[in-house]
Amino acid sequence: MSEIQDSTSSTSSASPTRRALIGWGGAGLALGAAAAGGAVAMAKTGDDVDPVAAETGAAVGFHGAHQAGIATPVQDRLHFAAFDVETEDRAEFVQMLKDWTAAAHRMTAGKPVGEGAYGGLAEAPPDDTGEALGLKPSRLTLTIGFGPSLFEKFGLADRRPEALVDLPKFPGDNLEKTRTGGDLCIQACADDPQVAVHAIRNLARIGFGKVVIRWSQLGFGKTSSTTPDAQTPRNLMGFKDGTRNIAGTETDRLKKFVWVGDGDNGKDSAWMTGGSYLVARRIRMHIETWDRTPLQEQEDIFGRDKGEGAPVGKAKEHDKPFLKAMKPDAHVRLAHPDSNDGITILRRGYSFTDGTDGLGRLDAGLFFLAYMRDVRKGFIPLQRKLSASDALNEYIQHVGSAIFAVPPGVRDKDDWWGRTLFSEEA
């Protein structure tokens, strides 16, 4: 959580074959309870935002210039999975991406994968696992990203974008290998946890023998919003998180800070135009220590009051903060764009609780997700500053980390995830 940024501004391809769906690999897939409702009317395409449809739980359009799940209104639940590639056959991997795209298109529309979960050949596994039968789309979005290690495979070394750097080790990091890295990732967001888990589970089945889940994370309680005028969510420390996050309707800010532009990464990486870069960090909170900290000290650490969320000396949450009124190591003061040459990132984080650590302490915290146009100009300099002097560091520790290049959206039924990277004609 040390990189939470307070940015109050001063200014269908064919369905996968039954053979491809036989078998399933991966771990950590848990089933959640069905909790969604709302209308089933379709929202706009993935790069547009329809606030009314978003709030009713309708399906989010899959096709668009940008992938859904970035600027899309943030859903309530998350299942994030990082995969390692097992196959060395480029054609087989590309076919998997096409199969994944077809399955993702159907699932985000509230439809089963392939021929469905029943009614097919009794002698073969069904195309769909079936636990989402009867559930609404729940605003499911599926977003794919490619990690640095993928570019060591399939002859892709010269197509690795300059901005897809290996993250440095920051002060205080205690990264666990089993929660770090990955050749590619899928971010599944929905308002029903079972819908999100169903999506990851079926993509893992389709990828059996070609990819395997390296690690995954379930999340609840969004800790940021991309919807204008929505109530700012609270993190597990009880404070409002992500005041003045970039909204999905702020096309100018998205263009400036989130979407990769023409020429950003050189001619060999033009395939990323319209995409973005994702940093994922699993940040454990020392909940028990925080809960014994006096209120005034908690508010001094953040630089905001706990009730309204107003900055020090102000009355309302969205009042322009007077940074010098805060303590020098206050989180808001250090993270604010005015303290960082205007650095702004788009956050889509979620809270998590994963049982206890065996010593009676909750394994809980923030699964931080942030999108940006260039990690070198966004997350890295911001996190270096925060990890060096943020008062919040006493109560948190970064235990997992990954970075991914998120390609542009799937434009139509003939397009597929990763086409701009893998197709010579693209």
Side-chain angles (χ1 to χ4, degrees):
M1 194 173 88
S2 62
E3 68 271 282
I4 297 173
Q5 184 189 28
D6 185 292
S7 58
T8 305
S9 181
S10 59
T11 39
S12 161
S13 50
S15 298
T17 64
R18 186 177 299 275
R19 179 181 299 275
L21 292 171
I22 294 176
W24 166 65
L29 303 180
L31 296 179
V40 293
M42 294 298 293
K44 294 183 180 180
T45 55
D47 59 323
D48 293 326
V49 176
D50 185 339
V52 175
E55 291 304 316
T56 61
V60 176
F62 182 72
H63 296 128
H66 312 292
Q67 289 195 64
I70 302 175
T72 308
V74 183
Q75 304 92 324
D76 291 331
R77 300 287 182 149
L78 167 80
H79 192 185
F80 188 96
F83 295 80
D84 284 336
V85 174
E86 293 188 315
T87 182
E88 297 180 359
D89 187 327
R90 176 174 172 138
E92 184 179 51
F93 182 72
V94 167
Q95 185 59 52
M96 186 205 73
L97 292 176
K98 293 178 179 179
D99 293 342
W100 270 14
T101 305
H105 185 204
R106 290 186 61 83
M107 289 189 289
T108 55
K111 300 177 182 179
V113 175
E115 298 174 15
Y118 61 90
L121 293 174
E123 297 78 15
D127 287 349
D128 188 280
T129 53
E131 73 274 23
L133 286 173
L135 300 182
K136 292 184 168 62
S138 302
R139 294 196 293 143
L140 173 67
T141 56
L142 292 167
T143 313
I144 194 170
F146 301 134
S149 54
L150 180 68
F151 293 85
E152 299 171 7
K153 303 174 171 65
F154 306 126
L156 296 174
D158 61 346
R159 307 208 73 188
R160 177 175 171 173
E162 294 176 2
L164 187 62
V165 297
D166 294 310
L167 294 177
K169 179 176 175 57
F170 299 102
D173 279 3
N174 186 22
L175 302 183
E176 302 169 14
K177 187 176 180 180
T178 55
R179 299 185 187 273
T180 297
D183 292 334
L184 65 157
C185 72
I186 297 290
Q187 170 194 284
C189 298
D191 289 325
D192 185 332
Q194 188 142 323
V195 170
V197 169
H198 168 264
I200 295 294
R201 179 181 178 184
N202 278 273
L203 294 179
R205 290 184 73 229
I206 295 169
F208 178 74
K210 296 171 280 292
V211 295
V212 63
I213 291 181
R214 179 182 179 91
W215 56 270
S216 69
Q217 180 67 56
L218 293 171
F220 67 92
K222 61 186 179 185
T223 62
S224 57
S225 173
T226 57
T227 306
D229 303 322
Q231 179 175 321
T232 305
R234 294 180 184 269
N235 56 40
L236 290 183
M237 289 179 165
F239 280 78
K240 291 185 177 181
D241 197 347
T243 298
R244 194 62 179 101
N245 192 25
I246 301 175
T249 53
E250 293 182 299
T251 54
D252 288 345
R253 294 182 82 203
L254 289 168
K255 182 178 180 180
K256 182 176 181 179
F257 297 115
V258 178
W259 307 131
V260 175
D262 291 329
D264 277 7
N265 293 297
K267 66 177 183 178
D268 290 331
S269 300
W271 62 271
M272 268 296 291
T273 300
S276 190
Y277 292 95
L278 167 63
V279 172
R281 302 278 283 186
R282 188 179 192 271
I283 306 172
R284 184 174 176 184
M285 297 177 178
H286 305 313
I287 295 292
E288 292 77 14
T289 304
W290 179 258
D291 291 345
R292 295 192 297 270
T293 301
L295 175 60
Q296 185 60 61
E297 185 175 345
Q298 290 184 1
E299 293 183 335
D300 287 343
I301 288 169
F302 272 95
R304 289 183 175 273
D305 73 68
K306 200 168 188 176
E308 167 62 26
V312 171
K314 303 293 182 176
K316 298 295 181 181
E317 176 192 350
H318 292 281
D319 288 347
K320 181 180 177 181
F322 180 51
L323 300 180
K324 291 184 179 179
M326 303 175 187
K327 290 184 177 298
D329 58 357
H331 179 74
V332 168
R333 179 170 179 172
L334 293 172
H336 196 279
D338 286 355
S339 301
N340 295 281
D341 297 321
I343 291 175
T344 303
I345 55 180
L346 186 154
R347 286 142 293 150
R348 288 186 67 95
Y350 287 83
S351 296
F352 70 84
T353 55
D354 291 333
T356 64
D357 62 359
L359 298 173
R361 298 173 299 195
L362 285 173
D363 182 4
L366 169 70
F367 189 65
F368 172 87
L369 295 167
Y371 289 87
M372 65 213 75
R373 184 170 177 172
D374 192 325
V375 178
R376 299 166 298 178
K377 300 176 182 178
F379 175 79
I380 291 177
L382 180 62
Q383 180 57 19
R384 277 183 172 146
K385 183 172 185 177
L386 291 173
S387 62
S389 54
D390 191 348
L392 199 56
N393 292 335
E394 182 180 348
Y395 301 92
I396 62 174
Q397 187 166 56
H398 293 238
V399 296
S401 179
I403 180 175
F404 301 95
V406 178
V410 178
R411 293 182 175 269
D412 53 42
K413 64 181 181 61
D414 297 318
D415 201 359
W416 44 277
W417 275 337
R419 178 189 59 83
T420 56
L421 172 61
F422 283 93
S423 291
E424 297 297 332
E425 61 271 20

